[in-house]
Amino acid sequence: MSAPLVIGVDVGGTKILSGVVDREGTVLAQSLIESPGSSEEDVLQAIDATVADCLDERIGAIGFGVPANLERGTGRVLRATNLPFDDFDLAGHARARFGLPVGVENDANATTLAEWKLGAGRGASSLVMLTLGTGIGGGIVLDDRLYRGWAEIGHIVVQADGPPCQGNCHGRGHLEALASGTAADGAAQELWGEGADARVLVERARSGDEAACAWLDEIGGFVGAAIGSLANLFDPELFVIGGGFGIAAGALVLEPAQEAARREALAPADKRLRIVPAELGAEAGLVGAGLVGFEALDGAW
Ligand SMILES: [Zn+2]
C-alpha cells in the first residue's frame, strides 16, 4: 500500500519552501528557509534541511518545482536564471539522500499543473498559464496533458529591439523585461523614485492615479500581445494569470490584456478568448510541486 502524502518543494531564487501535501492539494505542514545562499552547496543544504523538516513515515515521494530549464524526460536541471545550478541531477541527489521516488518539474509548469487540476483551470482540456512575478513563467496544457517542454513564455519577444531582458537572458524586448513584477518595480521607481515598487504602483492605480493606471495599461498591453500570439498558436479554452504581481494587479492588467489579445487573435478566438485570475494564490507553486511528487509516487517518473 502506498503512502498517502508527499513533500512538495518550491525552489525559489530567494527562498526554499517545502510542505507536506495531500492528493487534494491541502498543505498540512511547511518549512521555509529564506536567503539560502548563492552556491550550489548552500542551496542543496537548504533544500535538504526543509525536506528533512517535513519528513515522516507518511511521506511516499518528493516533488520539486524549480525555476530552471530541465532536460525533458529526466528532470535534469540544465540552466537556471537565478539559481546556482548548472547541469545538475537534482532528482538523483534527492533520491540518494532520502531514498524516495522523486519528480522534478519547472516551477511554472508545476504551478500550471496545480491551477489546471485544482484551481482556475479545473475541467479545461487546454489552457495557457502566465505567472507574473519577479520574472514571467509559463505553462501549457493541451489535449488534457501538461506540455513538459520549456514553455518560457516570459521570453517571447513583444517589442523588437526593446529593453534588455533579465538575469542570464541576453535577449531584448521580451515579455519578462516589459511586464514582470520587476518591470513594474522599475515603472514605479521612474514615477516616484528609489523606494517605490510594484505594490505602490498597484495601490496608486487603484486610488485613481493616472500615471500609475497608464503604466499598468501598457503592461497589460504587452501581456495581451503575448496572449494574442499564444491564442493564434494554441487556441486554448482559457488563459490563467498568476504570480505575485499578476494576482495583485488583477483587473488593472487583465482588462487591457484582454483588449490587446482580442485585437491580435484570429477569429473566432478574438471573440471567445478568456483570461482569468489564478485561484490557488501563493501556495500554487508548493501544491504543484506536491502534484509532481504524486506523479513520482504513481510511477510517472
Ligand atoms: Zn528573456
Side-chain angles (χ1 to χ4, degrees):
M1 209 172 118
S2 58
L5 300 174
V6 299
I7 293 174
V9 188
D10 184 10
V11 183
T14 56
K15 63 181 172 70
I16 312 285
L17 177 63
S18 289
V20 177
V21 182
D22 71 12
R23 278 197 193 266
E24 284 69 51
T26 309
V27 178
L28 304 168
Q30 291 190 23
S31 173
L32 171 73
I33 290 184
E34 307 249 21
S35 310
S38 54
S39 72
E40 183 180 293
E41 200 177 317
D42 289 345
V43 173
L44 283 178
Q45 221 166 55
I47 287 173
D48 290 350
T50 61
V51 170
D53 246 7
C54 294
L55 207 58
D56 63 36
E57 71 287 346
R58 300 169 301 169
I59 303 301
I62 304 169
F64 288 91
V66 185
N69 296 133
L70 306 177
E71 185 175 72
R72 285 176 79 177
T74 68
R76 198 176 173 88
V77 179
L78 295 178
R79 189 199 65 97
T81 307
N82 298 306
L83 277 177
F85 289 141
D86 185 17
D87 197 17
F88 181 69
D89 183 10
L90 178 61
H93 165 85
R95 259 182 227 116
R97 180 79 171 70
F98 297 105
L100 292 169
V102 173
V104 180
E105 188 47 89
N106 169 273
D107 61 343
N109 283 2
T111 300
T112 302
L113 187 61
E115 286 291 341
W116 173 41
K117 295 285 186 187
L118 303 166
R122 279 188 313 275
S125 70
S126 63
L127 65 85
V128 174
M129 176 154 190
L130 287 80
T131 58
L132 314 185
T134 310
I136 293 184
I140 299 165
V141 173
L142 284 179
D143 302 330
D144 294 305
R145 287 176 56 185
L146 177 72
Y147 172 63
R148 299 287 174 171
W150 285 9
E152 291 284 3
I153 291 169
H155 301 278
I156 285 179
V157 177
V158 289
Q159 188 183 83
D161 262 339
C165 203
Q166 309 191 118
N168 295 334
C169 178
H170 48 65
R172 302 187 77 94
H174 291 184
L175 184 62
E176 180 163 310
L178 293 157
S180 59
T182 309
D185 287 343
Q189 282 154 17
E190 205 164 295
L191 289 172
W192 305 297
E194 276 296 295
D197 61 10
R199 191 191 316 233
V200 175
L201 187 71
V202 170
E203 272 170 15
R204 296 209 179 163
R206 281 203 201 295
S207 50
D209 184 292
E210 274 181 31
C213 288
W215 264 107
L216 289 173
D217 261 1
E218 185 174 302
I219 286 174
F222 287 123
V223 172
I227 286 179
S229 298
L230 291 162
N232 292 339
L233 287 176
F234 302 116
D235 184 29
E237 282 168 50
L238 78 163
F239 290 87
V240 181
I241 305 289
F245 169 60
I247 296 292
L252 291 166
V253 162
L254 259 60
E255 279 174 11
Q258 175 124 330
E259 196 182 317
R262 290 191 166 187
R263 186 179 62 229
E264 306 305 337
L266 296 167
D270 57 347
K271 300 276 189 312
R272 69 180 183 208
L273 180 151
R274 277 199 305 142
I275 307 177
V276 300
E279 288 178 4
L280 300 181
E283 280 188 348
L286 184 60
V287 171
L291 294 181
V292 172
F294 279 109
E295 291 179 342
L297 185 65
D298 298 339
W301 284 83

